[in-house]
């Protein structure tokens, strides 16, 4: 190879090496400029997000003891004699609604909470164990398929729900634990018997109301049986339903039969006439209030009439589709309005709306009349009202 060719090859290699170095330098400059363009706040945010992701992964992998969570510690600090008994993660189902909840059981209270993080929970319901009840009528409380081996019905004033656990052993353990706490709580009840006023509606010509002596162990079925004897009504217990009206803003709702009317009444009195129904109710109530004494019954008379808890006995056939308990927090009040156009055709039957006037002016009864004329002179038996009137 001639000296000229060697010089040309060297120059070509030098030029290629120089181009590659230039490209590398340009990339470094662009990266430096990009890093400079990134503002300080964005760097802080990105680092914080990266740290939060890694922290959340670590917290999910690290098991947390229920006794050490802030909710349990704070609740134990409120009452020195209170003990923490257990924690369980369950599914609570009412109707078609299913919710993932955590149960924290203490000697006097059950907390139903929603998990916000592995260590933080939001209390959705706070229940006195002495006011709770259990049952097996899952088809009456929720719709859809349930696992009877891993589930049971538990409730409190005024809520029923199906609690489903991870295994049959876990369910049996919690059912026995809750039953034991209910029994011990009822032994501490003072008083253990209260006068309960029962109103009769849509039942022939029986007396308007009767007062029964109801104990803290009497179920709704027991109260219906006693009420039928007091009212002198012949019939089966299954042919009647006991309804509860606990708030002026919510309509009465039917009880299934396993609930304790004593607990419903006492809970209403302790809460001062407030509505604590549903899974979200009852938060912040004090399970051991100063009103837990025989004189607490006098507070019911001090409550306004529209906030007193009332129990109503009705025939089952009057209220169809009442197999499922309707919670006051979930049922919306439905008030039917009558049209002013067809008010002359109102008949004022007892089975219709109660307390509604027969006419907009409530002057004189116009039963079966149109502008003072009998309907028989206007309506034909075959065609009903004339077309111009319609």
């Amino acid at each position: 190879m001639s000296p000229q060719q060697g010089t040309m090859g060297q120059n070509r290699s030098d030029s290629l090496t120089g181009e590659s170095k230039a490209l590398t330098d340009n990339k470094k400059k662009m990266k430096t400029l990009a890093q400079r363009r990134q503002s300080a706040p964005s760097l802080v945010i990105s680092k914080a997000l990266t740290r939060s992701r890694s922290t959340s992964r670590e917290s999910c992998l690290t098991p947390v003891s229920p006794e050490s969570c802030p909710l349990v510690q704070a609740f134990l600090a409120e009452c020195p004699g209170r003990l923490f008994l257990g924690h369980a993660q369950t599914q609570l189902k009412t109707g078609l609604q299913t919710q993932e909840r955590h149960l924290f059981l203490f000697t006097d209270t059950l907390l139903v909470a929603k998990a916000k993080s592995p260590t933080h929970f939001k209390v959705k319901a706070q229940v006195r164990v002495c006011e709770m009840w259990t049952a097996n009528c899952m088809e009456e409380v929720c719709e859809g398929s349930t696992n009877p081996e891993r589930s049971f019905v538990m409730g409190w004033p005024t809520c029923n729900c199906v609690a489903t656990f991870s295994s049959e052993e876990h369910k049996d353990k919690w059912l026995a634990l809750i039953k034991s706490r209910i029994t011990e709580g009822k032994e501490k009840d003072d008083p253990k018997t209260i006068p309960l006023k029962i109103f009769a509606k849509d039942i022939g010509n029986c007396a308007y109301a009767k007062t029964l002596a109801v104990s803290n162990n009497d179920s709704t079925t027991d109260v219906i049986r006693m009420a039928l004897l007091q009212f002198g009504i012949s019939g089966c217990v299954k042919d009647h339903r006991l309804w509860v009206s606990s708030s002026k803003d919510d309509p009465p709702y039917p009880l299934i039969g396993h609930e304790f009317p004593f607990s419903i009444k006492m809970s209403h009195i302790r809460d001062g006439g407030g509505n604590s129904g549903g899974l979200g109710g009852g938060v912040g109530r004090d399970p051991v209030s100063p009103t837990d004494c025989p004189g607490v019954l006098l507070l019911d008379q001090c409550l306004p009439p529209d906030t007193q808890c009332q129990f109503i006995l009705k025939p089952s056939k009057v209220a169809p589709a009442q197999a499922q308990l309707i919670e006051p927090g979930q049922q919306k009040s439905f008030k039917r309005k009558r049209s002013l156009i067809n008010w002359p055709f109102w008949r004022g039957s007892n089975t219709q709306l109660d307390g509604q006037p027969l006419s907009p002016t409530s002057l004189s009864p116009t039963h079966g009349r149109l502008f003072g004329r009998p309907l028989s002179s206007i309506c034909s038996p075959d065609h009903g009202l004339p077309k111009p009137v319609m």
Side-chain angles (χ1 to χ4, degrees):
M1 181 175 59
S2 63
Q4 186 177 2
Q5 291 177 348
T7 304
M8 292 178 61
Q10 184 177 0
N11 293 336
R12 188 180 295 112
S13 62
D14 291 342
S15 63
L16 292 174
T17 304
E19 290 177 0
S20 62
K21 289 181 179 180
L23 291 174
T24 304
D25 294 340
N26 289 335
K27 289 181 179 179
K28 290 181 178 179
K29 290 180 180 179
M30 293 295 292
K31 187 176 181 179
T32 304
L33 291 175
Q35 291 177 350
R36 289 179 179 176
R37 289 193 188 101
Q38 190 174 11
S39 62
S42 61
L43 283 172
V44 174
I45 293 173
S46 62
K47 289 181 180 179
L49 291 176
T50 306
R51 189 183 304 112
S52 63
R53 292 193 193 100
S54 61
T55 305
S56 62
R57 293 193 195 99
E58 293 175 0
S59 61
C60 290
L61 295 176
T62 305
V64 179
S65 174
E67 294 86 351
S68 61
C69 74
L71 175 63
V72 174
Q73 292 298 319
F75 204 68
L76 289 174
E78 293 180 2
C79 183
R82 180 177 292 153
L83 299 177
F84 177 67
L85 301 180
H87 161 265
Q89 185 174 359
T90 63
Q91 281 188 346
L92 299 185
K93 188 171 183 180
T94 302
L96 293 173
Q97 184 180 17
T98 303
Q99 299 172 330
E100 297 288 339
R101 291 291 182 261
H102 290 257
L103 304 181
F104 296 90
L105 183 62
F106 300 83
T107 50
D108 59 347
T109 310
L110 174 71
L111 296 182
V112 181
K114 179 180 180 180
K116 293 296 185 180
S117 73
T119 57
H120 292 83
F121 301 88
K122 181 180 180 181
V123 178
K124 306 298 290 185
Q126 179 175 325
V127 188
R128 305 177 185 94
V129 290
C130 63
E131 297 174 353
M132 293 185 63
W133 50 71
T134 59
N136 294 319
C137 52
M138 288 173 283
E139 68 280 355
E140 301 273 352
V141 176
C142 68
E143 299 180 13
S145 60
T146 56
N147 192 328
E149 289 78 16
R150 298 189 292 112
S151 307
F152 65 88
V153 175
M154 69 177 187
W156 54 86
T158 48
C159 168
N160 274 310
C161 60
V162 175
T164 303
F165 295 82
S166 58
S167 64
E168 184 176 356
E169 294 77 14
H170 202 192
K171 167 247 183 180
D172 293 338
K173 173 186 174 182
W174 269 80
L175 180 59
L177 190 59
I178 291 178
K179 282 185 174 181
S180 66
R181 300 317 307 167
I182 294 175
T183 302
E184 185 172 342
K186 289 186 175 299
E187 291 177 355
K188 297 179 181 179
D189 272 339
D190 187 15
K192 290 183 172 58
T193 303
I194 61 172
L196 195 69
K197 194 173 185 179
I198 308 294
F199 295 88
K201 189 174 183 180
D202 302 325
I203 306 180
N205 297 322
C206 65
Y208 178 67
K210 291 283 186 179
T211 301
L212 312 177
V214 177
S215 71
N216 58 354
N217 286 312
D218 289 332
S219 66
T220 299
T221 302
D222 298 331
V223 173
I224 293 177
R225 186 179 293 108
M226 290 188 293
L228 293 179
L229 292 176
Q230 288 290 329
F231 283 110
I233 302 172
S234 60
C236 300
V237 174
K238 64 179 181 179
D239 296 331
H240 299 82
R241 268 287 172 90
L242 190 64
W243 293 61
V244 179
S245 177
S246 58
S247 175
K248 65 178 181 179
D249 297 326
D250 295 314
Y253 53 94
L255 299 178
I256 297 176
H258 62 273
E259 305 90 345
F260 297 118
F262 177 96
S263 300
I264 297 175
K265 183 72 173 181
M266 293 300 291
S267 174
H268 189 82
I269 295 174
R270 289 189 184 105
D271 297 334
N275 182 15
S276 59
L279 289 178
V283 178
R285 301 185 303 174
D286 184 7
V288 187
S289 61
T291 58
D292 292 340
C293 62
V296 71
L297 300 177
L298 299 176
L299 296 177
D300 187 36
Q301 302 175 2
C302 300
L303 296 176
D306 54 358
T307 61
Q308 293 181 5
C309 184
Q310 296 182 351
F311 292 84
I312 307 166
L313 183 66
K314 296 182 181 181
S316 299
K317 60 182 180 180
V318 175
Q322 56 175 285
Q324 177 185 343
L325 176 67
I326 303 174
E327 299 180 19
Q330 295 181 353
Q331 178 177 354
K332 295 183 179 179
S333 176
F334 176 75
K335 296 182 180 180
R336 182 179 176 185
K337 296 182 179 180
R338 291 181 170 182
S339 173
L340 292 178
I341 297 177
N342 58 356
W343 68 263
F345 305 103
W346 298 352
R347 290 183 175 268
S349 173
N350 291 333
T351 59
Q352 296 178 355
L353 298 179
D354 296 331
Q356 294 288 343
L358 295 176
S359 67
T361 55
S362 300
L363 293 176
S364 59
T366 56
H367 297 287
R369 292 178 176 272
L370 176 64
F371 299 110
R373 295 185 58 186
L375 290 179
S376 57
S377 63
I378 301 175
C379 308
S380 62
D382 299 331
H383 302 286
L385 288 173
K387 193 172 182 180
V389 176
M390 294 297 294

